[in-house]
Amino acid sequence: MQDVKMLSADRLRLGPATLYNMIQKLSEQGFIEEIETQSGDRRRIYRLTQMGKHLLRAEFVRQSDVLILAKTRNVFLLGDKA
């Protein structure tokens, strides 16, 4: 939750319920998997599966295409005045 807040420059905040629901759904769909931690460590650590990596790449391409389209059509970002 703290990483999301920091990486998004405080624009995104995840509450515990949202985070845990997201983790459960991604795990059930096979996009992430829990990896072993040292005994006694209560934290759970997850990694992307191959399917998760494929989905992430596809989403990155999709988002990049949207950005390129917006630039070619001269779409202005919120807050810009022109």
Side-chain angles (χ1 to χ4, degrees):
M1 291 181 288
Q2 293 171 350
D3 285 349
V4 169
K5 183 179 172 184
M6 182 190 67
L7 291 170
S8 70
D10 209 17
R11 289 180 295 216
L12 294 175
R13 292 182 182 209
L14 290 179
T18 303
L19 178 62
Y20 293 124
N21 285 336
M22 217 183 306
I23 288 171
Q24 182 179 358
K25 287 179 185 179
L26 290 170
S27 181
E28 288 172 355
Q29 294 172 342
F31 297 126
I32 63 172
E33 61 188 0
E34 188 175 351
I35 60 174
E36 283 190 39
T37 58
Q38 297 177 5
S39 65
D41 191 353
R42 294 182 56 203
R43 294 177 301 164
R44 293 184 176 193
I45 299 175
Y46 297 86
R47 68 175 166 209
L48 288 171
T49 61
Q50 284 303 112
M51 189 167 45
K53 289 177 185 178
H54 178 75
L55 178 69
L56 181 60
R57 281 187 209 102
E59 181 61 15
F60 181 79
V61 168
R62 188 186 76 78
Q63 291 285 333
S64 296
D65 290 347
V66 168
L67 182 58
I68 289 167
L69 180 62
K71 286 180 178 180
T72 61
R73 294 199 178 178
N74 206 20
V75 174
F76 295 97
L77 299 176
L78 293 176
D80 286 351
K81 295 181 181 181

